Amino acid sequence: MAQSGAEIRIESLTELEQFDRCVELQLTVWGYSDGDLIPRRVFLVASRIGGQVLGAFDGDVMAGFAMALPGYRNGHPYLHSHMVGVLAEYRNAGIGRRLKLAQREDALARGIELMEWTFDPLEIKNAHLNIAKLGAISRRYKRDFYGPSSSPLQGGLPTDRVYAEWWLRSERVTRVLAGEAPTIQPTQHVDVPAEIYAWKASTDDHDAAREVQSRNAAALESAFASGLSVVGYERSPKGDGRFLLGVWDEQYLY
């Protein structure tokens, strides 16, 4: 029986057999081929060079993991959170959020104030977690970031990604994590229909998914070029997603 998120323990991973379980979980969650699979040696290296490898455990079962690599840009260190995966039977229990919060706690303890990662802007639940629940902002879009993907979840579409910037000590993040509403008023929005998952999985509707991806890529790129950032995310009762764009007044740079 899958436990609630509160009963899951989060631990740092340091041993090869633990990294093997991360590899196995990757296969289960994303269904990657060997060419896209992150091998255990990368998890090992990440844990040894200042990155992070964290596991979420239900007893002896690894229900999820998070892996981040160290980065350095313009004189500042940061962490790039490359992967967060949770087994299907443990989703919607807050485990992904708990893994991210554990990453934040560790980063702040080491004096690191920025974490970044990329995410698929068509993945509504993930976007909602990143923006609305964690307080990340987005202001960069990269088309076909990884090139072709073997994961069925990608639906054969280009691997377009937006960057999440998680400014760990910012007022915005502090407010969001405290359950308070952000203060920025959005001026534009970009919508993602709930049907996107079915369209990606269907051969007949694949063109509809590609059209949404292309349209939203152009809209987000245009908004970012004009100085706007993703500062909010909403979900409708029927499951549609909506990026909310406005001027992020804190404007951390690096």
Side-chain angles (χ1 to χ4, degrees), residues 139-144 160-162 188 190 213-228 230 245:
R139 50 185 169 173
R140 288 176 286 164
Y141 193 105
K142 178 64 176 177
R143 298 192 187 221
D144 206 21
D160 286 17
R161 296 292 185 265
V162 289
Q188 293 184 26
V190 174
Q213 184 185 59
S214 180
R215 181 186 69 228
N216 285 5
L220 288 170
E221 286 173 335
S222 176
F224 294 160
S226 70
L228 298 181
V230 172
L245 294 124

Side-chain angles (χ1 to χ4, degrees), residues 151-165:
S151 173
L153 299 179
Q154 192 63 36
L157 295 179
T159 52
D160 286 17
R161 296 292 185 265
V162 289
Y163 283 84
E165 298 176 34

